[in-house]
């Protein structure tokens, strides 16, 4: 699936160009036309699945949002923790019997990591204890904090992460410098070296669970 990528103008077909004129290849209209194409694709997929496999589930999530805002130069995937990049919709099309369970979480803080736990819950499998995330078939804590990390040994190795509050403010953690920057901008340094020191500090001062290195994105749940 193509999605919305630079330059936007080449990522939508003629039939999907509803917003004209596009003008610049990365204009807002050009971007909106890529969304029209994506909407059409997802609708076609969901309608097919509902007809052919009525008990099926469809999960749709972007891997990230616009890195530096629409109409601006593209950056690397892990270039920053701006809201456009790390806060994105998660669309789920479930069998009819699950709508009420999922709707409990439409206005609660959820994470991309919850997709795996939800699928395991659907197929009645117990997850490994080190898997981050929560099943969306259970109601989520309205005060939940979520992790977005740049540290992925398989691809990136930048030892930084954020803990995202429900209001999308966040604590910025630099594991190399052993520092935590609070949402108000105040920076604190942890003198004792080691990931366990960071965990102990967060458990004491932020009431958050231990950090697990991953790249979940904090999301807004949509049910269709």
């Amino acid at each position: 699936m193509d999605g919305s990528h630079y330059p936007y103008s080449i990522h939508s077909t003629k039939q999907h160009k509803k917003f004209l004129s596009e003008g610049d290849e990365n204009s807002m209209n050009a971007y909106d036309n890529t969304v029209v194409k994506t909407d059409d694709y997802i609708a076609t997929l969901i309608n097919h699945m509902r007809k052919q496999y009525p008990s099926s589930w469809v999960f749709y999530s972007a891997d990230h949002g616009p890195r530096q805002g629409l109409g601006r130069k593209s950056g690397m995937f892990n270039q920053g923790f701006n809201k456009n990049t790390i806060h994105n919709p998660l669309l789920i099309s479930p069998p009819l019997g699950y709508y009420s369970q999922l709707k409990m979480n439409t206005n609660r803080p959820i994470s991309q990591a919850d997709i795996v736990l939800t699928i395991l819950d659907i197929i009645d499998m117990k997850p490994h204890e080190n898997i981050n995330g929560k099943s969306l078939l259970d109601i989520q804590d309205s005060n939940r904090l979520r992790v977005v990390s740049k540290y992925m040994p398989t691809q990136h190795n930048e030892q930084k992460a954020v803990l995202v509050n429900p209001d999308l403010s966040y604590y910025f953690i630099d594991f190399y410098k052993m520092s935590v920057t609070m949402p108000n901008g105040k920076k604190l340094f942890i003198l004792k070296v080691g990931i366990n020191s960071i965990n102990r500090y967060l458990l004491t001062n932020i009431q958050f669970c231990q950090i697990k290195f991953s790249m979940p994105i904090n999301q807004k749940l949509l049910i269709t």
Side-chain angles (χ1 to χ4, degrees):
M1 159 166 209
D2 203 9
S4 302
H5 295 97
Y6 284 73
Y8 297 132
S9 62
I10 69 171
H11 290 282
S12 62
T13 65
K14 184 176 181 180
Q15 73 182 79
H16 294 113
K17 292 188 182 297
K18 306 297 184 183
F19 299 95
L20 300 171
S21 67
E22 287 188 338
D24 181 81
E25 63 184 9
N26 289 320
S27 67
M28 184 65 75
N29 278 351
Y31 174 83
D32 287 345
N33 288 329
T34 67
V35 177
V36 172
K37 180 183 177 183
T38 299
D39 283 348
D40 185 34
Y41 180 92
I42 294 174
T44 301
L45 173 64
I46 290 175
N47 288 334
H48 173 78
M49 297 299 290
R50 292 279 74 84
K51 290 178 182 178
Q52 298 295 321
Y53 309 100
S55 297
S56 64
W57 290 73
V58 177
F59 292 80
Y60 173 79
S61 172
D63 52 352
H64 59 81
R67 297 172 176 86
Q68 297 187 26
L70 300 180
R72 298 181 63 186
K73 183 179 179 182
S74 178
M76 295 176 59
F77 170 39
N78 273 356
Q79 191 165 14
F81 293 108
N82 67 72
K83 193 180 299 184
N84 284 332
T85 300
I86 67 172
H87 186 60
N88 298 279
L90 165 62
L91 186 148
I92 301 177
S93 178
L96 287 175
Y98 290 89
Y99 273 75
S100 59
Q101 281 179 270
L102 291 170
K103 282 187 175 181
M104 295 186 302
N105 292 314
T106 52
N107 293 311
R108 291 177 177 270
I110 63 170
S111 168
Q112 198 174 60
D114 299 338
I115 297 174
V116 174
L117 272 294
T118 304
I119 292 173
L120 291 176
D121 196 2
I122 292 167
I123 62 177
D124 198 26
M125 286 191 66
K126 185 177 180 180
H128 190 280
E129 62 180 9
N130 286 333
I131 295 180
N132 204 347
K134 298 176 180 294
S135 172
L136 295 174
L137 297 181
D138 300 323
I139 191 165
Q140 302 303 309
D141 185 347
S142 59
N143 295 315
R144 178 187 182 189
L145 279 78
R146 294 150 291 172
V147 180
V148 181
S149 173
K150 287 188 177 185
Y151 184 48
M152 294 185 293
T154 57
Q155 183 176 9
H156 301 281
N157 193 18
E158 190 171 349
Q159 298 180 34
K160 297 176 182 177
V162 292
L163 300 182
V164 184
N165 286 308
D167 65 1
L168 301 184
S169 62
Y170 57 70
Y171 302 87
F172 175 76
I173 303 167
D174 189 321
F175 296 99
Y176 180 77
K177 295 181 179 179
M178 296 301 293
S179 67
V180 177
T181 302
M182 311 299 279
N184 61 9
K186 182 180 179 180
K187 181 176 288 189
L188 305 174
F189 290 91
I190 301 169
L191 299 180
K192 189 173 182 179
V193 178
I195 182 63
N196 288 332
S197 298
I198 290 267
N199 281 328
R200 281 193 294 272
Y201 174 82
L202 296 175
L203 284 166
T204 302
N205 295 276
I206 311 177
Q207 291 79 51
F208 186 70
C209 63
Q210 291 189 352
I211 293 174
K212 300 171 184 177
F213 294 113
S214 56
M215 190 57 203
I217 295 176
N218 62 95
Q219 301 196 291
K220 169 67 176 178
L221 179 60
L222 305 172
I223 315 297
T224 185

